[in-house]
């Protein structure tokens, strides 16, 4: 990898990694996203299966974001996976680490934010780390250590009903203290408002009191710009993607001058054509609204939708086989409609298929009670992976995926190892392109406007 690598990032899920990479690109960082760690002895390959020169691939890279699927696994396993990622990045010349967590601080009392942050602190020999999931553009702010989603406390938002990581406490100091072996403190909004000098003094005071990590308040982009410049001088930061908007591009600091507009890459859009497949496994309120919007607009378009009934399909193999036949028929219809439309219109708008397990909290609980939380989650992920593989076989090259766990399952099924980060669709969600030639929009369940699914694909059809 190039010696120009300025920042190593480790994300605890795939959509979070894309969210961070998006903000880095928009801040002028030349960024690549890896889906898991490269397998030893294996090269990256292009759409034709040809190996790529790794040195050339990374030669013009400022930041690398490694996406892990570690948010909800066993804490010890999450620590081991994250340390392996850091060791690999360190071997490529990285000196600083950005541990990217969800902007809603998704975790349980066991972790995995605290355990992984503890392990990275030890590995980097860091004596202090700022912790801040705030992302005001996405409606996430921190005030007096409490996380808000829009105008609601985290504990009053839809996150209280999350099927895997229900967030019932908005006080992040308390949340992180239950997970970490270190003492947790707070850098409040009054200190942030006074600027870098006051923040630095507060950090020294906290360190003198035995504090190793501190939640930082942030209610505006200005707060993130102040914090971003500060954490760039530290070896470890634990944050959502928001702080990255305060990072100056390497070229802007006189490092690695490029003689180009640092925001040029924001204009990049994948060029893949044909039908679009939307896979929604998220049950967040945002995803529910996006599914509802798609179903409504499909009444006047040639788009198709197919609902997943986990209780029925998980218990009846015959019903599942019939449902899969319906899915295959839907894919075939998409390509048939595409051909018909192309014959009539010079610039057709290809049809889209939405397949969704998205449901309200009451329905999700029924499924979990019947199947078990872990089994229900694993079953949906496995089904989404099978759907992605079948779509790939048909020739689908445009994928919109809602939900971190669902995104992880889909990109692994497609064998995607590296993403180029393109134009933003909504705050926190860009279009990306894989080396194999897939256009992928990987959306955190909580992100995106109601029309996200149609908006994303409309961008490619414009």
């Amino acid at each position: 990898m190039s010696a120009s690598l300025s920042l190593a990032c480790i994300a605890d899920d795939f959509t979070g990694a894309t969210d961070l990479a998006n903000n880095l690109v928009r801040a002028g960082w030349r960024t690549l996203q890896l889906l898991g760690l490269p397998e030893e002895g294996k090269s990256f390959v292009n759409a034709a299966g040809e190996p790529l020169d790794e040195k050339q691939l990374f030669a013009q890279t400022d930041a690398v974001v490694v996406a892990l699927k570690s948010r909800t696994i066993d804490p010890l396993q999450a620590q081991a996976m994250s340390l392996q990622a850091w060791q690999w990045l360190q071997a490529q010349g990285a000196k600083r680490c950005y541990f990217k967590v969800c902007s809603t601080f998704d975790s349980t009392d066991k972790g995995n934010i605290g355990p992984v942050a503890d392990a990275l602190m030890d590995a980097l020999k860091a004596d202090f780390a700022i912790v801040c999931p705030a992302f005001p553009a996405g409606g996430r702010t921190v005030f007096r250590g409490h996380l808000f989603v829009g105008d609601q406390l985290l504990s009053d938002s839809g996150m209280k009903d999350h099927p895997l990581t229900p967030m019932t406490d908005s006080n992040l100091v308390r949340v992180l203290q239950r997970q970490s072996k270190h003492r947790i403190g707070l850098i409040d909004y009054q200190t942030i408002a006074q600027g870098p000098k006051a923040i630095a003094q507060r950090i020294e005071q906290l360190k003198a009191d035995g504090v190793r990590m501190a939640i930082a308040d942030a209610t505006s982009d200005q707060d993130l710009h102040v914090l971003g410049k500060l954490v760039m001088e530290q070896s470890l930061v634990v944050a959502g993607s928001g702080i990255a908007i305060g990072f100056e591009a390497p070229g802007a600091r006189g490092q690695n001058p490029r003689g180009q507009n640092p925001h040029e890459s924001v204009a990049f859009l994948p060029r893949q054509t044909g039908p679009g497949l939307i896979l929604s496994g998220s049950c967040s309120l945002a995803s529910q609204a996006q599914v509802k919007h798609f179903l409504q607009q499909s009444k006047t378009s040639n788009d198709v939708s197919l609902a997943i009934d986990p209780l029925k399909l998980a218990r009846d193999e015959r019903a599942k086989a019939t449902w899969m036949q319906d899915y295959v028929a839907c894919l075939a219809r998409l390509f048939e409609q595409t051909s018909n439309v192309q014959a009539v219109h010079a610039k057709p708008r290809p049809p889209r298929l939405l397949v969704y397990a998205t449901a309200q909290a009451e329905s999700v609980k029924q499924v979990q009670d019947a199947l078990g939380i872990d089994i229900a989650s694993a079953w949906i992920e496995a089904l989404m992976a099978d759907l992605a593989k079948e779509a790939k076989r048909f020739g689908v090259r445009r994928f919109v995926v809602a939900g971190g766990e669902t995104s992880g399952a889909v990109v692994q099924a497609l064998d995607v190892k590296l993403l180029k980060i393109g134009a933003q669709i909504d705050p926190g969600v860009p279009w990306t392109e894989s080396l194999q030639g897939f256009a992928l929009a990987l959306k955190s369940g909580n992100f995106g406007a109601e029309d996200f699914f149609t908006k994303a694909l409309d961008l490619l059809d414009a």
Side-chain angles (χ1 to χ4, degrees):
M1 190 180 289
S2 167
S4 68
L5 179 65
S6 297
L7 183 65
C9 308
I10 299 170
D12 64 1
D13 83 339
F14 286 27
T15 57
T18 307
D19 175 13
L20 173 57
N22 175 60
N23 276 351
L24 287 171
V25 166
R26 290 172 63 80
W29 291 67
R30 299 169 300 180
T31 306
L32 289 176
Q33 179 179 334
L34 305 186
L35 287 306
L37 288 173
E39 296 179 44
E40 192 167 345
K42 289 191 176 181
S43 302
F44 293 106
V45 297
N46 61 17
E50 302 163 337
L52 300 175
D53 184 332
E54 198 166 301
K55 289 184 178 179
Q56 184 177 356
L57 184 65
F58 288 105
Q60 300 299 315
T61 302
D62 302 315
V64 171
V65 183
V66 176
L68 302 179
K69 209 164 177 288
S70 60
R71 180 173 298 170
T72 58
I73 63 177
D74 177 79
L76 291 177
Q77 187 182 357
Q79 284 181 319
M81 188 183 294
S82 302
L83 288 174
Q84 183 184 5
W86 167 245
Q87 289 161 4
W88 184 83
L89 289 161
Q90 191 178 37
Q92 318 311 317
K95 299 292 190 297
R96 290 172 293 129
C97 181
Y98 189 135
F99 174 35
K100 197 280 176 190
V101 301
C102 186
S103 63
T104 47
F105 223 65
D106 289 26
S107 53
T108 67
D109 283 350
K110 292 183 178 179
N112 287 340
I113 295 173
V116 172
D118 288 351
L120 290 173
M121 286 195 78
D122 291 345
L124 278 85
K125 297 181 172 57
D127 63 355
F128 190 85
I130 285 176
V131 182
C132 183
F135 187 16
R140 315 296 190 261
T141 54
V142 182
F143 179 72
R144 293 190 181 276
H146 290 70
L147 180 56
F148 286 78
V149 177
D151 294 328
Q152 292 182 309
L153 283 165
L154 176 66
S155 54
D156 294 330
S157 74
M159 284 302 300
K160 69 180 185 300
D161 298 315
H162 192 285
L164 298 178
T165 52
M167 299 304 293
T168 58
D169 189 353
S170 303
N171 187 321
L172 299 189
V173 176
R174 276 198 308 251
V175 171
L176 189 55
Q177 189 63 79
R178 290 194 291 266
Q179 301 175 12
S180 174
K181 66 183 181 181
H182 298 301
R183 188 176 173 191
I184 310 301
L186 173 66
I187 305 173
D188 66 19
Y189 74 101
Q190 292 166 312
T191 303
I192 302 294
Q194 294 175 58
K197 185 175 180 180
I199 298 171
Q201 290 173 345
R202 174 60 174 160
I203 289 174
E204 290 306 312
Q205 179 187 3
L206 289 169
K207 286 162 62 175
D209 291 339
V211 172
R212 294 284 300 279
M213 287 188 281
I215 302 296
D217 281 356
T219 61
S220 68
D221 283 356
Q222 178 58 35
D223 293 340
L224 294 181
H225 280 283
V226 171
L227 288 168
K229 291 178 175 60
L230 181 67
V231 301
M232 281 297 294
E233 307 304 320
Q234 299 178 342
S235 59
L236 175 67
V237 60
V238 180
S241 69
I243 277 182
I245 72 170
F247 290 4
E248 289 182 334
R253 297 194 303 273
Q255 304 173 19
N256 200 24
R258 305 196 272 275
Q260 66 182 51
N261 181 344
H263 303 284
E264 281 177 356
S265 56
V266 174
F268 162 71
L269 276 172
R271 296 183 178 179
Q272 284 76 5
T273 58
L277 175 62
I278 305 160
L279 297 173
S280 182
S282 165
C283 293
S284 71
L285 294 178
S287 294
Q288 290 179 41
Q290 288 152 2
V291 167
K292 182 179 179 180
H293 179 276
F294 183 92
L295 296 178
Q296 184 64 35
Q297 68 82 34
S298 67
K299 294 177 182 178
T300 56
S301 70
N302 58 349
D303 297 329
V304 185
S305 61
L306 195 59
I308 297 170
D309 183 342
L311 274 182
K312 180 180 179 181
L313 302 185
R315 290 171 160 176
D316 188 337
E317 284 299 322
R318 183 174 297 179
K320 181 182 176 183
T322 301
W323 187 92
M324 284 296 295
Q325 290 174 357
D326 291 341
Y327 171 68
V328 170
C330 285
L331 289 175
R333 197 185 320 159
L334 287 187
F335 281 90
E336 181 181 350
Q337 288 175 345
T338 300
S339 298
N340 292 340
V341 172
Q342 287 175 340
V344 177
H345 300 285
K347 191 175 181 181
R349 194 280 245 169
R352 293 96 186 249
L353 168 62
L354 166 66
V355 183
Y356 62 100
T358 303
Q360 295 182 345
E362 298 80 9
S363 299
V364 174
K365 190 174 187 308
Q366 288 178 3
V367 174
Q368 291 178 334
D369 289 344
L371 302 179
I373 294 176
D374 293 339
I375 292 174
S377 177
W379 186 88
I380 297 236
E381 287 182 44
L383 178 63
M384 290 294 188
D386 289 342
L387 300 183
K389 290 176 184 176
E390 190 65 29
K392 175 183 176 181
R393 186 181 71 80
F394 258 84
V396 173
R397 291 296 178 266
R398 297 170 162 191
F399 292 84
V400 178
V401 191
E405 301 302 316
T406 304
S407 294
V410 168
V411 297
Q412 288 176 342
L414 297 176
D415 197 30
V416 171
K417 303 297 185 185
L418 186 146
L419 293 174
K420 300 175 183 177
I421 309 301
Q424 177 172 280
I425 305 165
D426 271 337
V429 196
W431 267 113
T432 71
E433 186 173 44
S434 75
L435 294 178
Q436 300 98 318
F438 297 117
L440 292 157
L442 307 176
K443 184 192 83 72
S444 168
N446 297 298
F447 280 13
E450 288 187 358
D451 63 347
F452 179 85
F453 294 154
T454 51
K455 180 195 301 182
L457 291 163
D458 283 347
L459 280 173
L460 302 191
D461 293 328

